Amino acid sequence: MTKTRLAALLPVAAFVLIGLLFWRGLSGDPGFLPSVLLNRPVPAFALAAIPELGVPGLKDADLKQGKVTVVNIWGSWCGPCRIEHPVLMELSKRSDINLVGINNKDEPENARRFLGTLGQPFTAIGADPNGRTTIDWGGYGVPETFVIDGKGIIRHKHVGPLANATVLDAEIKKAATPLP
């Protein structure tokens, strides 16, 4: 092959390579972002309850009670949190999980109004007024949802709104199985 012909094929080969890289990047689960905390214990934290809401606050020991727990980080100011809320209401009906929340950078009155309007799915909610605990969890924003096994080990992280109540089924099932 001549140098001229090779030079003509080089842009085509580069275009095909770039196309393959884009396809590979776009073909994964958009709600999955790897976390350095996967398969590690939840960070130590203790968050107060939201006053007048009627559910307790949340601490790391609550996530080590032997049952799979789904932790949802949310805020009343978050549009996607409002969109995913019916999914959380569905998840709250499951007996095989404990659903808890971390209310991120919110005013208590706004959080109470949000849950009063849309429904209160959580067995416990920790108020994270400055977002420090969310950062310790490796949070990028809200909503984010974590699946925690019964020993308090983070087994899955989902970024963005949950699309439906079954989107976490496989991860919940895996979290119910002890790590090797």
Side-chain angles (χ1 to χ4, degrees):
M1 196 174 270
T2 67
K3 286 184 181 184
T4 309
R5 191 171 258 178
L6 247 174
L9 289 177
L10 190 59
V12 173
F15 179 77
V16 168
L17 180 62
I18 291 170
L20 287 171
L21 290 173
F22 276 120
W23 175 78
R24 169 102 163 105
L26 295 174
S27 64
D29 177 1
F32 176 76
L33 280 179
S35 169
V36 296
L37 299 178
L38 286 181
N39 297 320
R40 294 192 171 182
V42 296
F45 70 98
L47 298 172
I50 296 172
E52 302 169 24
L53 198 54
V55 294
L58 187 65
K59 58 189 177 303
D60 57 304
D62 298 333
L63 307 178
K64 301 171 185 175
Q65 301 297 319
K67 187 173 188 178
V68 173
T69 303
V70 174
V71 178
N72 181 258
I73 301 176
W74 63 281
S76 66
W77 46 267
C78 161
C81 296
R82 186 170 292 273
I83 292 168
E84 92 169 343
H85 203 77
V87 174
L88 297 175
M89 294 301 291
E90 279 297 309
L91 284 172
S92 73
K93 297 173 185 174
R94 293 179 64 157
S95 61
D96 62 330
I97 62 167
N98 185 28
L99 179 63
V100 299
I102 295 176
N103 181 236
N104 185 48
K105 296 182 181 179
D106 216 343
E107 295 295 326
E109 178 57 35
N110 294 341
R112 285 191 299 272
R113 190 176 315 118
F114 179 90
L115 295 174
T117 301
L118 299 176
Q120 204 297 80
F122 305 111
T123 60
I125 303 172
D128 187 14
N130 62 8
R132 182 72 233 170
T133 298
T134 300
I135 291 169
D136 290 345
W137 277 69
Y140 293 97
V142 293
E144 290 189 352
T145 305
F146 294 82
V147 177
I148 313 301
D149 72 14
K151 294 181 179 179
I153 306 297
I154 298 173
R155 300 287 293 273
H156 179 74
K157 176 182 180 179
H158 180 91
V159 176
L162 297 169
N164 58 61
T166 61
V167 73
L168 296 177
D169 281 351
E171 301 305 327
I172 289 169
K173 186 176 181 177
K174 281 194 263 183
T177 306
L179 287 171

